[in-house]
CSV table of all heavy atoms in Angstrom, one decimal:
chain,number,residue,atom,x,y,z
Q,1,MET,N,23.3,61.5,23.9
Q,1,MET,CA,22.1,62.3,24.1
Q,1,MET,C,21.0,61.7,23.2
Q,1,MET,O,21.2,61.4,22.0
Q,1,MET,CB,22.3,63.8,23.7
Q,1,MET,CG,21.1,64.6,24.0
Q,1,MET,SD,21.7,66.3,24.1
Q,1,MET,CE,20.6,67.1,23.0
Q,2,SER,N,19.8,61.5,23.7
Q,2,SER,CA,18.8,60.9,22.9
Q,2,SER,C,17.5,61.7,23.0
Q,2,SER,O,17.2,62.3,24.0
Q,2,SER,CB,18.5,59.5,23.6
Q,2,SER,OG,17.3,58.9,23.0
Q,3,THR,N,16.8,61.8,21.8
Q,3,THR,CA,15.6,62.6,21.8
Q,3,THR,C,14.5,61.6,21.5
Q,3,THR,O,14.6,60.8,20.5
Q,3,THR,CB,15.7,63.6,20.7
Q,3,THR,OG1,16.8,64.4,20.9
Q,3,THR,CG2,14.4,64.5,20.7
Q,4,ASN,N,13.5,61.6,22.3
Q,4,ASN,CA,12.3,60.7,22.0
Q,4,ASN,C,11.3,61.5,21.3
Q,4,ASN,O,10.5,62.3,21.8
Q,4,ASN,CB,11.7,60.2,23.4
Q,4,ASN,CG,12.7,59.3,24.1
Q,4,ASN,OD1,13.5,58.6,23.4
Q,4,ASN,ND2,12.7,59.3,25.4
Q,5,VAL,N,11.2,61.2,20.0
Q,5,VAL,CA,10.2,61.9,19.1
Q,5,VAL,C,9.3,60.8,18.6
Q,5,VAL,O,9.8,59.8,17.9
Q,5,VAL,CB,10.9,62.6,18.0
Q,5,VAL,CG1,9.8,63.3,17.1
Q,5,VAL,CG2,11.9,63.7,18.5
Q,6,PRO,N,8.0,60.9,18.8
Q,6,PRO,CA,7.1,59.8,18.3
Q,6,PRO,C,7.2,59.7,16.8
Q,6,PRO,O,7.2,60.7,16.1
Q,6,PRO,CB,5.7,60.3,18.8
Q,6,PRO,CG,6.0,61.2,19.9
Q,6,PRO,CD,7.3,61.9,19.6
Q,7,GLY,N,7.4,58.5,16.3
Q,7,GLY,CA,7.4,58.3,14.8
Q,7,GLY,C,8.8,58.6,14.2
Q,7,GLY,O,8.9,58.4,13.0
Q,8,ALA,N,9.8,59.0,15.0
Q,8,ALA,CA,11.1,59.2,14.5
Q,8,ALA,C,11.8,57.9,14.2
Q,8,ALA,O,11.6,56.9,14.9
Q,8,ALA,CB,11.9,60.0,15.4
Q,9,VAL,N,12.5,57.8,13.1
Q,9,VAL,CA,13.3,56.6,12.8
Q,9,VAL,C,14.8,56.9,13.0
Q,9,VAL,O,15.3,58.0,12.5
Q,9,VAL,CB,13.0,56.2,11.3
Q,9,VAL,CG1,13.9,55.0,10.9
Q,9,VAL,CG2,11.5,55.9,11.1
Q,10,THR,N,15.5,56.1,13.6
Q,10,THR,CA,16.9,56.2,13.8
Q,10,THR,C,17.7,55.1,13.2
Q,10,THR,O,17.4,53.9,13.4
Q,10,THR,CB,17.3,56.3,15.3
Q,10,THR,OG1,16.5,57.3,16.0
Q,10,THR,CG2,18.7,56.5,15.6
Q,11,ASP,N,18.6,55.4,12.3
Q,11,ASP,CA,19.4,54.4,11.6
Q,11,ASP,C,20.7,54.3,12.4
Q,11,ASP,O,21.5,55.3,12.4
Q,11,ASP,CB,19.7,54.8,10.2
Q,11,ASP,CG,20.4,53.7,9.4
Q,11,ASP,OD1,20.7,52.7,10.0
Q,11,ASP,OD2,20.6,54.0,8.2
Q,12,ARG,N,21.0,53.2,13.0
Q,12,ARG,CA,22.2,53.0,13.8
Q,12,ARG,C,23.3,52.2,13.1
Q,12,ARG,O,24.3,51.9,13.7
Q,12,ARG,CB,21.8,52.3,15.1
Q,12,ARG,CG,20.9,53.2,15.9
Q,12,ARG,CD,20.5,52.5,17.2
Q,12,ARG,NE,19.5,53.2,17.8
Q,12,ARG,CZ,19.6,53.6,19.1
Q,12,ARG,NH1,20.6,53.3,19.8
Q,12,ARG,NH2,18.6,54.3,19.6
Q,13,HIS,N,23.1,51.9,11.8
Q,13,HIS,CA,24.1,51.1,11.1
Q,13,HIS,C,24.7,52.0,10.0
Q,13,HIS,O,24.1,52.5,9.1
Q,13,HIS,CB,23.4,49.9,10.4
Q,13,HIS,CG,22.8,49.0,11.4
Q,13,HIS,ND1,23.4,48.1,12.2
Q,13,HIS,CD2,21.4,48.9,11.8
Q,13,HIS,CE1,22.6,47.5,13.0
Q,13,HIS,NE2,21.4,48.0,12.8
Q,14,TRP,N,26.0,52.3,10.2
Q,14,TRP,CA,26.8,53.1,9.3
Q,14,TRP,C,27.7,52.2,8.5
Q,14,TRP,O,28.1,51.2,8.9
Q,14,TRP,CB,27.6,54.1,10.1
Q,14,TRP,CG,26.8,55.2,10.7
Q,14,TRP,CD1,26.0,55.1,11.8
Q,14,TRP,CD2,26.8,56.5,10.3
Q,14,TRP,NE1,25.4,56.3,12.1
Q,14,TRP,CE2,25.9,57.2,11.2
Q,14,TRP,CE3,27.4,57.3,9.3
Q,14,TRP,CZ2,25.7,58.6,11.1
Q,14,TRP,CZ3,27.2,58.6,9.2
Q,14,TRP,CH2,26.3,59.2,10.1
Q,15,ARG,N,27.9,52.6,7.3
Q,15,ARG,CA,28.8,51.9,6.4
Q,15,ARG,C,29.8,52.8,5.7
Q,15,ARG,O,29.4,53.9,5.2
Q,15,ARG,CB,27.9,51.2,5.3
Q,15,ARG,CG,28.7,50.4,4.3
Q,15,ARG,CD,27.7,49.6,3.4
Q,15,ARG,NE,26.8,50.5,2.7
Q,15,ARG,CZ,27.0,50.9,1.4
Q,15,ARG,NH1,28.0,50.6,0.8
Q,15,ARG,NH2,26.1,51.7,0.9
Q,16,TYR,N,31.0,52.4,5.7
Q,16,TYR,CA,32.1,53.2,5.1
Q,16,TYR,C,31.9,53.1,3.6
Q,16,TYR,O,31.9,52.0,3.0
Q,16,TYR,CB,33.5,52.8,5.5
Q,16,TYR,CG,34.6,53.5,4.8
Q,16,TYR,CD1,34.9,54.8,5.2
Q,16,TYR,CD2,35.2,52.9,3.7
Q,16,TYR,CE1,36.0,55.4,4.5
Q,16,TYR,CE2,36.3,53.6,3.1
Q,16,TYR,CZ,36.6,54.9,3.5
Q,16,TYR,OH,37.6,55.5,2.8
Q,17,VAL,N,31.8,54.2,2.9
Q,17,VAL,CA,31.6,54.2,1.4
Q,17,VAL,C,33.0,54.4,0.7
Q,17,VAL,O,33.4,53.6,-0.1
Q,17,VAL,CB,30.6,55.2,1.0
Q,17,VAL,CG1,30.4,55.2,-0.5
Q,17,VAL,CG2,29.2,54.9,1.6
Q,18,ASP,N,33.6,55.5,0.9
Q,18,ASP,CA,34.8,55.9,0.2
Q,18,ASP,C,35.3,57.2,0.7
Q,18,ASP,O,34.6,57.9,1.5
Q,18,ASP,CB,34.6,55.9,-1.3
Q,18,ASP,CG,35.8,55.8,-2.1
Q,18,ASP,OD1,36.9,55.6,-1.5
Q,18,ASP,OD2,35.8,55.9,-3.3
Q,19,SER,N,36.5,57.5,0.4
Q,19,SER,CA,37.1,58.8,0.7
Q,19,SER,C,38.0,59.3,-0.5
Q,19,SER,O,38.4,58.5,-1.3
Q,19,SER,CB,37.9,58.8,2.0
Q,19,SER,OG,39.0,58.0,1.8
Q,20,GLY,N,38.2,60.6,-0.5
Q,20,GLY,CA,39.1,61.2,-1.5
Q,20,GLY,C,38.3,61.5,-2.8
Q,20,GLY,O,37.1,61.4,-2.9
Q,21,HIS,N,39.1,61.8,-3.8
Q,21,HIS,CA,38.6,62.2,-5.1
Q,21,HIS,C,38.6,61.0,-6.1
Q,21,HIS,O,39.3,60.1,-5.9
Q,21,HIS,CB,39.4,63.3,-5.7
Q,21,HIS,CG,39.5,64.6,-4.9
Q,21,HIS,ND1,38.4,65.4,-4.7
Q,21,HIS,CD2,40.5,65.2,-4.3
Q,21,HIS,CE1,38.8,66.4,-4.0
Q,21,HIS,NE2,40.0,66.3,-3.8
Q,22,THR,N,37.7,61.1,-7.1
Q,22,THR,CA,37.8,60.2,-8.2
Q,22,THR,C,39.1,60.5,-8.9
Q,22,THR,O,39.6,61.6,-8.7
Q,22,THR,CB,36.6,60.3,-9.1
Q,22,THR,OG1,36.6,61.7,-9.7
Q,22,THR,CG2,35.3,60.1,-8.4
Q,23,PRO,N,39.6,59.7,-9.8
Q,23,PRO,CA,40.8,60.0,-10.5
Q,23,PRO,C,40.7,61.3,-11.3
Q,23,PRO,O,41.6,62.1,-11.3
Q,23,PRO,CB,41.0,58.8,-11.4
Q,23,PRO,CG,40.4,57.7,-10.7
Q,23,PRO,CD,39.2,58.3,-10.0
Q,24,GLY,N,39.6,61.5,-11.9
Q,24,GLY,CA,39.4,62.8,-12.7
Q,24,GLY,C,39.3,64.0,-11.8
Q,24,GLY,O,39.9,65.0,-12.1
Q,25,ALA,N,38.6,63.9,-10.7
Q,25,ALA,CA,38.6,65.0,-9.8
Q,25,ALA,C,39.9,65.3,-9.2
Q,25,ALA,O,40.3,66.5,-8.9
Q,25,ALA,CB,37.5,64.7,-8.7
Q,26,ALA,N,40.7,64.3,-8.9
Q,26,ALA,CA,42.1,64.4,-8.4
Q,26,ALA,C,42.9,65.2,-9.4
Q,26,ALA,O,43.7,66.1,-9.0
Q,26,ALA,CB,42.7,63.1,-8.0
Q,27,LEU,N,42.8,64.9,-10.7
Q,27,LEU,CA,43.6,65.7,-11.7
Q,27,LEU,C,43.2,67.1,-11.7
Q,27,LEU,O,44.0,68.0,-11.8
Q,27,LEU,CB,43.4,65.0,-13.1
Q,27,LEU,CG,44.1,63.7,-13.3
Q,27,LEU,CD1,43.7,63.1,-14.7
Q,27,LEU,CD2,45.6,64.0,-13.3
Q,28,LEU,N,41.9,67.4,-11.6
Q,28,LEU,CA,41.4,68.8,-11.6
Q,28,LEU,C,41.9,69.5,-10.4
Q,28,LEU,O,42.3,70.6,-10.5
Q,28,LEU,CB,39.9,68.8,-11.7
Q,28,LEU,CG,39.2,68.4,-13.0
Q,28,LEU,CD1,37.7,68.3,-12.8
Q,28,LEU,CD2,39.6,69.4,-14.0
Q,29,ALA,N,41.8,68.8,-9.2
Q,29,ALA,CA,42.2,69.5,-8.0
Q,29,ALA,C,43.7,69.8,-8.0
Q,29,ALA,O,44.2,70.8,-7.6
Q,29,ALA,CB,41.9,68.6,-6.8
Q,30,ALA,N,44.5,68.8,-8.6
Q,30,ALA,CA,46.0,69.1,-8.7
Q,30,ALA,C,46.3,70.2,-9.6
Q,30,ALA,O,47.1,71.0,-9.4
Q,30,ALA,CB,46.7,67.8,-9.2
Q,31,GLY,N,45.5,70.3,-10.7
Q,31,GLY,CA,45.7,71.5,-11.7
Q,31,GLY,C,45.4,72.8,-11.0
Q,31,GLY,O,46.1,73.8,-11.2
Q,32,ILE,N,44.3,72.8,-10.3
Q,32,ILE,CA,43.9,74.0,-9.6
Q,32,ILE,C,44.9,74.4,-8.5
Q,32,ILE,O,45.3,75.6,-8.4
Q,32,ILE,CB,42.5,73.9,-8.9
Q,32,ILE,CG1,41.4,73.8,-10.0
Q,32,ILE,CG2,42.2,75.0,-8.0
Q,32,ILE,CD1,40.1,73.3,-9.6
Q,33,ALA,N,45.4,73.4,-7.8
Q,33,ALA,CA,46.5,73.7,-6.8
Q,33,ALA,C,47.7,74.3,-7.4
Q,33,ALA,O,48.4,75.2,-6.9
Q,33,ALA,CB,46.8,72.5,-6.0
Q,34,GLU,N,48.1,73.7,-8.6
Q,34,GLU,CA,49.3,74.2,-9.3
Q,34,GLU,C,49.1,75.6,-9.8
Q,34,GLU,O,50.0,76.5,-9.7
Q,34,GLU,CB,49.6,73.3,-10.5
Q,34,GLU,CG,50.9,73.6,-11.2
Q,34,GLU,CD,51.2,72.6,-12.3
Q,34,GLU,OE1,50.8,71.5,-12.2
Q,34,GLU,OE2,51.8,73.1,-13.3
Q,35,ASP,N,47.9,75.9,-10.3
Q,35,ASP,CA,47.6,77.3,-10.8
Q,35,ASP,C,47.6,78.3,-9.6
Q,35,ASP,O,48.2,79.4,-9.7
Q,35,ASP,CB,46.2,77.4,-11.4
Q,35,ASP,CG,46.1,76.7,-12.7
Q,35,ASP,OD1,47.2,76.4,-13.3
Q,35,ASP,OD2,45.0,76.4,-13.2
Q,36,ILE,N,47.1,77.9,-8.5
Q,36,ILE,CA,47.1,78.8,-7.3
Q,36,ILE,C,48.6,79.1,-6.9
Q,36,ILE,O,48.9,80.2,-6.6
Q,36,ILE,CB,46.3,78.2,-6.1
Q,36,ILE,CG1,44.8,78.2,-6.5
Q,36,ILE,CG2,46.6,78.9,-4.8
Q,36,ILE,CD1,43.9,77.4,-5.5
Q,37,ALA,N,49.4,78.0,-6.8
Q,37,ALA,CA,50.8,78.2,-6.4
Q,37,ALA,C,51.5,79.1,-7.4
Q,37,ALA,O,52.3,80.0,-7.0
Q,37,ALA,CB,51.5,76.8,-6.3
Q,38,THR,N,51.3,78.9,-8.7
Q,38,THR,CA,51.9,79.8,-9.7
Q,38,THR,C,51.5,81.2,-9.5
Q,38,THR,O,52.3,82.1,-9.6
Q,38,THR,CB,51.5,79.3,-11.1
Q,38,THR,OG1,52.0,77.9,-11.3
Q,38,THR,CG2,52.2,80.1,-12.2
Q,39,ASN,N,50.2,81.4,-9.3
Q,39,ASN,CA,49.7,82.8,-9.2
Q,39,ASN,C,50.2,83.5,-7.9
Q,39,ASN,O,50.6,84.7,-8.0
Q,39,ASN,CB,48.1,82.8,-9.1
Q,39,ASN,CG,47.5,82.5,-10.5
Q,39,ASN,OD1,48.1,82.7,-11.5
Q,39,ASN,ND2,46.3,82.0,-10.4
Q,40,ARG,N,50.4,82.7,-6.9
Q,40,ARG,CA,51.0,83.3,-5.6
Q,40,ARG,C,52.4,83.6,-5.8
Q,40,ARG,O,52.9,84.7,-5.4
Q,40,ARG,CB,50.8,82.3,-4.5
Q,40,ARG,CG,49.4,82.2,-4.0
Q,40,ARG,CD,49.2,81.2,-2.9
Q,40,ARG,NE,47.9,81.2,-2.4
Q,40,ARG,CZ,47.3,80.3,-1.6
Q,40,ARG,NH1,48.1,79.3,-1.2
Q,40,ARG,NH2,46.1,80.4,-1.3
Q,41,GLU,N,53.2,82.8,-6.5
Q,41,GLU,CA,54.6,83.1,-6.8
Q,41,GLU,C,54.7,84.4,-7.7
Q,41,GLU,O,55.6,85.2,-7.4
Q,41,GLU,CB,55.2,81.9,-7.5
Q,41,GLU,CG,56.7,82.1,-7.8
Q,41,GLU,CD,57.6,82.4,-6.6
Q,41,GLU,OE1,57.3,81.8,-5.5
Q,41,GLU,OE2,58.6,83.1,-6.7
Q,42,ILE,N,53.9,84.5,-8.7
Q,42,ILE,CA,53.9,85.7,-9.5
Q,42,ILE,C,53.6,86.9,-8.7
Q,42,ILE,O,54.2,88.0,-8.9
Q,42,ILE,CB,52.9,85.5,-10.7
Q,42,ILE,CG1,53.5,84.5,-11.7
Q,42,ILE,CG2,52.7,86.8,-11.5
Q,42,ILE,CD1,52.5,84.0,-12.7
Q,43,ALA,N,52.6,86.8,-7.8
Q,43,ALA,CA,52.2,88.0,-7.0
Q,43,ALA,C,53.4,88.3,-6.1
Q,43,ALA,O,53.6,89.5,-5.9
Q,43,ALA,CB,51.0,87.6,-6.2
Q,44,ARG,N,54.1,87.3,-5.5
Q,44,ARG,CA,55.2,87.7,-4.6
Q,44,ARG,C,56.3,88.4,-5.4
Q,44,ARG,O,56.9,89.3,-5.0
Q,44,ARG,CB,55.8,86.4,-4.0
Q,44,ARG,CG,55.1,85.9,-2.8
Q,44,ARG,CD,55.9,84.8,-2.1
Q,44,ARG,NE,55.9,83.6,-2.9
Q,44,ARG,CZ,55.0,82.6,-2.8
Q,44,ARG,NH1,54.0,82.8,-2.0
Q,44,ARG,NH2,55.1,81.5,-3.5
Q,45,GLU,N,56.6,87.9,-6.6
Q,45,GLU,CA,57.6,88.5,-7.5
Q,45,GLU,C,57.2,90.0,-7.8
Q,45,GLU,O,58.1,90.9,-7.9
Q,45,GLU,CB,57.8,87.7,-8.7
Q,45,GLU,CG,58.5,86.4,-8.5
Q,45,GLU,CD,58.5,85.5,-9.7
Q,45,GLU,OE1,58.1,85.9,-10.8
Q,45,GLU,OE2,59.0,84.3,-9.6
Q,46,GLU,N,55.9,90.2,-8.1
Q,46,GLU,CA,55.5,91.6,-8.4
Q,46,GLU,C,55.6,92.5,-7.3
Q,46,GLU,O,56.0,93.7,-7.4
Q,46,GLU,CB,54.0,91.5,-8.9
Q,46,GLU,CG,53.8,90.9,-10.3
Q,46,GLU,CD,54.5,91.8,-11.4
Q,46,GLU,OE1,54.3,93.0,-11.3
Q,46,GLU,OE2,55.1,91.2,-12.3
Q,47,ARG,N,55.4,92.0,-6.0
Q,47,ARG,CA,55.5,92.9,-4.9
Q,47,ARG,C,56.9,93.2,-4.6
Q,47,ARG,O,57.2,94.3,-4.1
Q,47,ARG,CB,54.9,92.2,-3.6
Q,47,ARG,CG,53.4,92.2,-3.6
Q,47,ARG,CD,52.8,91.8,-2.3
Q,47,ARG,NE,53.2,90.4,-1.9
Q,47,ARG,CZ,52.5,89.3,-2.1
Q,47,ARG,NH1,51.4,89.4,-2.8
Q,47,ARG,NH2,52.9,88.1,-1.7
Q,48,LYS,N,57.9,92.3,-5.0
Q,48,LYS,CA,59.3,92.6,-4.8
Q,48,LYS,C,59.9,93.5,-5.8
Q,48,LYS,O,61.0,94.0,-5.6
Q,48,LYS,CB,60.1,91.3,-4.7
Q,48,LYS,CG,59.8,90.4,-3.5
Q,48,LYS,CD,60.5,89.1,-3.5
Q,48,LYS,CE,60.2,88.2,-2.4
Q,48,LYS,NZ,60.9,86.9,-2.5
Q,49,ALA,N,59.3,93.6,-7.0
Q,49,ALA,CA,59.9,94.3,-8.1
Q,49,ALA,C,59.9,95.8,-7.8
Q,49,ALA,O,59.0,96.4,-7.3
Q,49,ALA,CB,59.0,94.1,-9.4
Q,50,PRO,N,61.1,96.4,-8.2
Q,50,PRO,CA,61.2,97.8,-7.9
Q,50,PRO,C,60.2,98.6,-8.8
Q,50,PRO,O,60.0,98.2,-9.9
Q,50,PRO,CB,62.7,98.1,-8.3
Q,50,PRO,CG,63.1,97.0,-9.1
Q,50,PRO,CD,62.3,95.8,-8.7
Q,51,ARG,N,59.8,99.7,-8.3
Q,51,ARG,CA,58.8,100.5,-9.1
Q,51,ARG,C,59.4,101.9,-9.4
Q,51,ARG,O,59.9,102.6,-8.7
Q,51,ARG,CB,57.5,100.7,-8.2
Q,51,ARG,CG,56.9,99.4,-7.8
Q,51,ARG,CD,55.8,99.0,-8.7
Q,51,ARG,NE,55.4,97.6,-8.4
Q,51,ARG,CZ,54.6,97.0,-9.1
Q,51,ARG,NH1,53.9,97.5,-10.1
Q,51,ARG,NH2,54.3,95.7,-8.8
């Protein structure tokens, strides 16, 4: 689909830059994921505990 707009500029050349996290961001993401997993496990145990 093409739109003809006077004065519009279309860039048709794409370049792959990168994907994923930087090493520091990957460490932070892994720590957050571990915290979430731990919190979910604790919540499951609390729901199963007799009251």
Side-chain angles (χ1 to χ4, degrees):
M1 185 162 132
S2 172
T3 306
N4 294 327
V5 178
V9 177
T10 303
D11 186 0
R12 295 175 189 237
H13 301 282
W14 288 70
R15 179 173 57 97
Y16 177 78
V17 177
D18 199 4
S19 65
H21 298 297
T22 63
L27 284 173
L28 288 173
I32 291 168
E34 186 177 330
D35 289 346
I36 290 170
T38 300
N39 289 338
R40 287 179 178 165
E41 180 60 31
I42 291 169
R44 274 192 294 273
E45 290 171 5
E46 287 294 318
R47 283 193 299 270
K48 291 179 185 177
R51 305 259 167 186

